[in-house]
Amino acid sequence: MLHWSIYLFIPLALALVAGVLFLGLFNFASGGSPQRSQRLMQLRVLFQFLAIILVMVTIFAMGR
């Protein structure tokens, strides 16, 4: 059985992805710094990677 905290980390990871995405969209729409847009995109990709890993680990653990 999975530990209860895994059910907290997945929504948190998805919220981080959405939050960074919205920050990037806001920065782009307001004509912000291109360097900041690039950094936000890198953070979004990192958070997406972590979220996918968490989901895959959860699916794997549930199958056992």
Side-chain angles (χ1 to χ4, degrees):
M1 180 155 192
L2 291 175
H3 193 268
W4 64 269
S5 62
I6 196 73
Y7 298 109
L8 175 70
F9 291 135
I10 291 174
L12 179 65
L14 295 176
L16 283 172
V17 171
V20 172
L21 176 64
F22 285 125
L23 281 174
L25 288 173
F26 180 75
N27 187 58
F28 178 73
S30 65
S33 166
Q35 289 82 15
R36 182 170 183 191
S37 290
Q38 182 66 21
R39 182 67 183 143
L40 288 170
M41 181 176 289
Q42 291 170 352
L43 276 175
R44 182 184 55 84
V45 169
L46 174 67
F47 289 150
Q48 278 181 288
F49 174 73
L50 294 175
I52 289 170
I53 294 298
L54 281 172
V55 169
M56 295 305 293
V57 166
T58 302
I59 290 171
F60 177 75
M62 290 175 80
R64 293 186 141 232

